[in-house]
């Protein structure tokens, strides 16, 4: 990513889910709204209508940090260099052509950025840091004062934000993680699943997940909130209500020269059962917000959960 140190963005309300992504779930082409459920809102528990710039998709100064020469550097780079690429991705996907290599590379970068910017990644790091710091302090002193506990929570929050921002801002960490991401995704089989008009794909504020492939754990925890980067992992990433990217291991006997950048990527109709499985994964792996372009289907399916 290119450093933009000469210009300051005035946008303090920063998207945690890109508007360029959300707009593909608009309720109509001429409406900048989506349907969604905000599970963090205990007063409004049903399906609501959210604008693409609604505060539910934003957080104040989410990407800012005092250590940056330009505190808005990450927000600026995302808005000017990363997010506009999604329209180019979807232009080729919507044509249902065999994706060009440049678009495949853009998809890999998009998946990395999409997952690393997710509020789930920050919140999960904060939970882990909180647990470790409090456990350590309680080992030293069983009577942890409210003041000490509050100080630990604030420290864990700072550490979580810095850890997440380093996945974008720290050159070495960005290079290593992005390389791991690309190498893993490139070593797997890709296909694009198509929904049916009556039952389309949902998304959320933490797009992209892996089903739990370990049978003894899958019953109680069927979905991972992250995209697993291992040999046997499967990844689903909803691209739009009509399309979902499926990434799976290559079958045994696939020639070694075949990879995601060179293979033919096919578009295949997903069965209603597979669509339901993916949408359940989207539901179970959201951070706070579930998104759809169809209110009735969303309401009906939520009642069944």
């Amino acid at each position: 990513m290119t450093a933009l140190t000469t210009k300051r963005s005035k946008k303090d309300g920063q998207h945690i889910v890109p508007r360029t992504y959300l707009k593909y779930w608009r309720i109509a082409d001429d409406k900048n709204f989506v349907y969604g459920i905000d599970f963090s809102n205990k007063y409004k528990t049903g399906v609501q209508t959210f604008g693409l710039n609604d505060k539910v998709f934003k957080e104040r100064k989410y990407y800012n940090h005092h250590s940056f020469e330009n505190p808005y550097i990450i927000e600026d780079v995302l808005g000017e260099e990363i997010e506009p690429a999604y329209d180019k991705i979807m232009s080729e996907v919507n044509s249902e052509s065999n994706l060009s290599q440049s678009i495949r590379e853009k998809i890999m970068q998009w998946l990395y950025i999409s997952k690393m910017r997710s509020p789930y990644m920050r919140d999960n790091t904060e939970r882990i840091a909180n647990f470790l710091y409090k456990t350590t302090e309680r080992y030293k002193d069983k009577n942890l004062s409210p003041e000490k506990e509050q100080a630990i929570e604030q420290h864990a929050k700072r550490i979580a934000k810095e850890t997440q921002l380093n996945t974008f801002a720290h050159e070495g960490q960005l290079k290593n993680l992005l390389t791991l991401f690309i190498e893993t995704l490139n070593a797997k089989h890709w296909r694009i699943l198509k929904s049916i008009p009556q039952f389309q794909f949902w998304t959320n504020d933490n797009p992209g997940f892996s089903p739990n492939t370990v049978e003894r754990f899958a019953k109680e925890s069927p979905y991972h909130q992250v995209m697993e980067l291992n040999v046997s992992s499967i990844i689903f990433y909803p691209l739009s209500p009509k399309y979902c990217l499926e990434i799976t291991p290559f079958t045994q006997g696939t020639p070694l020269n075949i990879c995601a950048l060179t293979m033919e990527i096919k578009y295949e109709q997903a069965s209603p059962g597979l669509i339901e499985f993916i949408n359940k994964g989207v539901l179970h792996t959201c951070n706070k917000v579930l998104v759809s372009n169809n209110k009735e289907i969303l309401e009906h399916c939520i009642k069944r959960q």
Side-chain angles (χ1 to χ4, degrees):
M1 296 190 295
T2 304
L4 303 176
T5 58
T6 59
K7 188 168 73 172
R8 287 178 180 266
S9 168
K10 294 183 179 179
K11 297 179 180 177
D12 286 346
Q14 299 169 358
H15 277 85
I16 53 178
V17 188
R19 177 189 169 95
T20 52
Y21 177 74
L22 287 170
K23 74 178 185 180
Y24 288 92
W25 273 267
R26 288 179 296 180
I27 61 179
D29 289 341
D30 60 341
K31 305 288 186 182
N32 287 323
F33 299 94
V34 297
Y35 294 118
I37 298 176
D38 179 4
F39 291 102
S40 68
N41 190 334
K42 62 183 179 181
Y43 301 106
K44 295 182 179 180
T45 58
V47 177
Q48 301 179 61
T49 302
F50 297 117
L52 301 185
N53 288 319
D54 194 282
K55 64 182 180 180
V56 76
F57 301 123
K58 292 182 174 183
E59 190 167 316
R60 188 173 185 273
K61 296 186 177 181
Y62 185 72
Y63 305 105
N64 286 31
H65 197 269
H66 62 82
S67 66
F68 301 152
E69 180 181 344
N70 171 8
Y72 296 87
I73 178 64
I74 293 179
E75 170 73 1
D76 286 339
V77 171
L78 290 174
E80 295 186 16
E81 297 188 17
I82 304 300
E83 293 172 7
Y86 200 70
D87 285 335
K88 296 178 182 177
I89 290 170
M90 290 310 301
S91 178
E92 283 203 20
V93 170
N94 285 330
S95 72
E96 297 193 9
S97 58
N98 191 25
L99 300 179
S100 64
Q101 182 171 327
S102 64
I103 289 298
R104 299 177 196 213
E105 291 170 352
K106 282 182 171 60
I107 291 174
M108 291 179 186
Q109 183 185 61
W110 181 269
L111 264 59
Y112 172 82
I113 298 294
S114 178
K115 185 54 68 176
M116 290 301 107
R117 74 190 291 176
S118 165
Y120 169 80
M121 302 300 285
R122 185 179 297 186
D123 292 348
N124 192 48
T125 302
E126 184 180 338
R127 283 192 291 268
I128 294 170
N130 247 319
F131 172 77
L132 292 176
Y133 290 139
K134 287 180 180 179
T135 300
T136 301
E137 289 300 318
R138 287 194 177 104
Y139 181 77
K140 297 176 184 177
D141 183 0
K142 292 183 179 180
N143 298 315
L144 193 61
S145 68
E147 293 77 14
K148 182 67 174 178
E149 189 165 352
Q150 185 178 22
I152 289 174
E153 290 171 358
Q154 290 302 314
H155 182 61
K157 189 178 293 290
R158 288 193 298 271
I159 290 295
K161 181 172 184 176
E162 290 172 3
T163 300
Q164 184 185 43
L165 296 185
N166 278 340
T167 63
F168 305 112
H170 188 282
E171 185 175 354
Q173 190 169 336
L174 171 62
K175 181 179 179 181
N176 291 338
L177 287 173
L178 188 56
T179 298
L180 172 63
F181 225 84
I182 290 175
E183 288 180 350
T184 303
L185 298 183
N186 192 38
K188 289 181 178 290
H189 180 275
W190 291 22
R191 69 170 175 163
I192 296 177
L193 301 171
K194 298 168 62 175
S195 66
I196 54 179
Q198 302 90 336
F199 192 20
Q200 297 188 306
F201 297 116
W202 303 341
T203 192
N204 60 29
D205 56 350
N206 178 39
F209 69 91
S210 289
N212 195 335
T213 57
V214 181
E215 188 174 347
R216 65 180 181 276
F217 299 132
K219 187 174 182 179
E220 291 188 6
S221 182
Y223 305 101
H224 296 293
Q225 284 91 345
V226 298
M227 293 184 282
E228 294 277 286
L229 299 178
N230 56 56
V231 174
S232 61
S233 67
I234 297 171
I235 295 169
F236 291 104
Y237 190 95
L239 298 169
S240 73
K242 185 176 181 179
Y243 300 105
C244 179
L245 176 63
E246 179 197 61
I247 301 175
T248 60
F250 279 110
T251 56
Q252 190 173 4
T254 301
L256 295 178
N257 64 315
I258 300 298
C259 63
L261 290 176
T262 61
M263 66 171 288
E264 179 186 2
I265 298 176
K266 296 182 178 180
Y267 296 74
E268 298 183 13
Q269 181 66 59
S271 67
L274 181 54
I275 297 171
E276 182 173 17
F277 176 80
I278 293 170
N279 283 345
K280 279 186 177 180
V282 172
L283 168 63
H284 285 282
T285 60
C286 72
N287 191 56
K288 295 179 181 178
V289 186
L290 180 67
V291 174
S292 174
N293 64 338
N294 187 306
K295 183 178 181 180
E296 290 73 22
I297 292 293
L298 192 58
E299 288 177 335
H300 175 71
C301 292
I302 291 301
K303 290 176 182 177
R304 294 175 56 193
Q305 304 306 316

